[in-house]
Amino acid sequence: MVIAYEPVWAIGTGKTATPQQAEEVHRFIRQKLEKLTSRGVAEAIRIQYGGSVTPENVKGLMDQEDIDGALVGGASLKSDSFSKIVRFREI
């Protein structure tokens, strides 16, 4: 199972949460999963951030403990941007 979180106010706006804001919500989701299931299940489920992921903000988001990946929207339609997002650790 994979859960994707995108703030409602980010949908279609080009705005993104700060890494700290996104981490706070991802941690909350993981804690809820743990209460509903178990710690092992909560840790195994990937929680991705969606919401205007760009080459400029991907590293800050992916550096957060509870953010396991990115659900890339519009930037995935531009090969240059998408390849930078995929290779963000190399850049």
Side-chain angles (χ1 to χ4, degrees):
M1 174 189 264
V2 176
I3 295 175
Y5 164 73
E6 180 173 3
V8 173
W9 50 262
I11 298 172
T13 66
K15 296 178 181 177
T16 190
T18 66
Q20 295 77 20
Q21 289 170 325
E23 171 62 15
E24 183 179 321
V25 175
H26 281 71
R27 183 179 305 120
F28 174 81
I29 293 169
R30 198 168 309 278
Q31 289 170 345
K32 286 294 183 186
L33 288 169
E34 185 175 343
K35 286 181 183 178
L36 292 170
T37 59
S38 69
R39 183 179 186 100
V41 170
E43 290 175 357
I45 292 177
R46 295 187 58 80
I47 306 173
Q48 298 182 335
Y49 177 77
S52 300
V53 177
T54 66
E56 294 76 28
N57 65 22
V58 67
K59 183 178 182 329
L61 291 164
M62 296 305 104
D63 283 347
Q64 304 305 306
E65 183 177 341
D66 287 297
I67 299 177
D68 300 318
L71 180 63
V72 182
S76 68
L77 301 174
K78 301 172 189 160
S79 61
D80 185 51
S81 291
F82 188 62
S83 66
K84 287 178 182 174
I85 291 170
V86 171
R87 299 174 313 134
F88 76 93
R89 296 250 187 240
E90 299 172 9
I91 299 173

